[in-house]
Amino acid sequence: MSDFEGYLRGDPQAKRIEVGLLMAGLATFTLLYATQAILPYFTRDYGISPAEAALSVSMATAGLGVGLIFAVPVSERIGRVRLIRWSLILASLLALVVAFLPSWPLFLWARFIMGFVLAGLPATAAVYLKEEIHRTYVSAATGIYIFGTTLGGLSGRVLSALTIEVANQWGYAGTGVLSESHLALFVTALLALGCAVGCWILLPESRGFVPHFDAPRELMRKFGRAFRDPVLLGLYAIGGLGMGTFVGAFNSLAFRLEAAPYLLSVGAMGLIYFVYPIAGVGSIVAGRLGGRYSLRAVMPYGPLVAVLGILLMGLTHLVWIVLGIAILSVGFFMSHSLASTWVAQRASASVGVPAQAASMYMLVYYAGSSINGNLAPLAWELQGWSGVTMLSLVFMGTAFVISVLLARSRPLVR
């Protein structure tokens, strides 16, 4: 066992960890969501439906979900930092290859593999922070990492949309294997590669990590323990429901805004994703409030804020739609920041397998993304935006109920 208690706020190594993980989150979520803002282009390029186009997001998140199962035991052997570094570099290089694949089925499977490789960061980030950052600062540090993920979500969506907008302005019509949409993916892959290199340089070696060499039967036993605590199960559900609501709404939004009466260009739609920095600030504030009061006391406010955003998005005026997606984003990232921190702390105190619990949280989290990421566009096809609204309210309303129940649970850690 390591007697290292973690870096305190303001320590130079803590700053390196914060910036390194921020860049890691930027790279990861740039790659995952680079296709989301340009889904209508895939429907036209390949002659597919909105739900089929949304598979470009869902296959990547599904691959990441599967990768989470393998990433944790690998990180237990080789270390969190080594896994994060190689995961980001290899996924970024693979994303450069994906940009040149003209076949839709091949493109989807390559996105799945890229997501699988990317699992190293989401599987280990919360546990890595718990191992390396002092407990008095870990909630706030996690909020900064979540802010990096919001920047990645912003960059992937905005950069891909603006690349197509600029290409159209220059008269680029797409040739051969590098269509407008694939040109956009190539540019986002370059950004991710740069961030991956930055993370490799900045992220310090672990001090709180202790290697584990478990037999397969022991690994299965540890994963089984991650399902013994009802509070952990509730936190997993909150993550999956929140992520499903969030991705489903964004997957459907592009189709709504390109149609009448809005008729927005892809570049204009990309600008809407600048709500992400607002959401990122929400995750940092939630982390600090969770550290000051308690995670259970603050948790119900995330889903409640998200429900307000969903209702505003149901209005017809563009201003209300943009305000609604901003509020939904704030609520979702509040929930995610608090839940991911609580999972690591609760699992350490209750079942003793924080890495496996964090992995299961992220597995359910991305399962929600993959499932509702396609259900919401299907609801759009069948019922228009009212269908998306009802589906979103069911998901996030359920998350609110669970968070209220968890707030009444017996605390094991503050």
Side-chain angles (χ1 to χ4, degrees), residues 33-93:
Y33 296 111
T35 65
Q36 192 174 59
I38 57 176
L39 293 181
Y41 275 78
F42 292 125
T43 63
R44 291 188 285 270
D45 289 345
Y46 294 97
I48 55 179
S49 68
E52 289 175 304
L55 285 171
S56 64
V57 180
S58 299
M59 288 292 282
T61 56
L64 192 149
V66 174
L68 290 171
I69 299 173
F70 299 92
V72 169
V74 171
S75 76
E76 298 274 89
R77 289 176 175 267
I78 70 172
R80 325 291 186 200
V81 172
R82 184 179 298 178
L83 179 63
I84 290 171
R85 286 171 172 171
W86 282 107
S87 174
L88 294 177
I89 289 292
L90 293 176
S92 299
L93 293 174

Side-chain angles (χ1 to χ4, degrees), residues 40-183:
Y41 275 78
F42 292 125
T43 63
R44 291 188 285 270
D45 289 345
Y46 294 97
I48 55 179
S49 68
E52 289 175 304
L55 285 171
S56 64
V57 180
S58 299
M59 288 292 282
T61 56
L64 192 149
V66 174
L68 290 171
I69 299 173
F70 299 92
V72 169
V74 171
S75 76
E76 298 274 89
R77 289 176 175 267
I78 70 172
R80 325 291 186 200
V81 172
R82 184 179 298 178
L83 179 63
I84 290 171
R85 286 171 172 171
W86 282 107
S87 174
L88 294 177
I89 289 292
L90 293 176
S92 299
L93 293 174
L94 181 58
L96 292 173
V97 176
V98 171
F100 292 92
L101 299 178
S103 164
W104 181 247
L106 184 60
F107 176 81
L108 290 179
W109 282 112
R111 290 274 296 169
F112 179 89
I113 296 171
M114 185 198 72
F116 180 90
V117 176
L118 273 175
L121 176 71
T124 61
V127 178
Y128 172 69
L129 284 166
K130 183 180 179 299
E131 292 171 344
E132 303 300 321
I133 300 296
H134 195 271
R135 59 181 177 80
T136 58
Y137 186 53
V138 68
S139 292
T142 300
I144 294 172
Y145 159 66
I146 299 297
F147 182 60
T149 70
T150 67
L151 289 180
L154 168 68
S155 299
R157 293 164 171 97
V158 172
L159 186 58
S160 61
L162 291 183
T163 297
I164 290 180
E165 187 76 9
V166 171
N168 288 337
Q169 293 292 329
W170 289 355
Y172 181 83
T175 57
V177 295
L178 200 61
S179 65
E180 294 163 290
S181 57
H182 286 77
L183 173 64

Side-chain angles (χ1 to χ4, degrees), residues 252 256 310 313-315 376 379-394:
S252 308
R256 182 187 185 189
I310 293 166
M313 290 180 69
L315 302 177
W380 161 257
E381 291 181 55
L382 298 176
Q383 297 291 332
W385 195 256
S386 62
V388 178
T389 298
M390 291 304 299
L391 188 63
S392 300
L393 287 175
V394 169

Side-chain angles (χ1 to χ4, degrees), residues 221-230 232 236 343-358 412:
R221 189 181 68 83
K222 285 187 173 181
F223 275 110
R225 287 165 60 185
F227 290 92
R228 292 180 183 176
D229 184 356
L232 288 176
Y236 302 160
V343 163
Q345 293 183 2
R346 178 81 186 192
S348 295
S350 65
V351 294
V353 286
Q356 286 74 17
L412 299 181

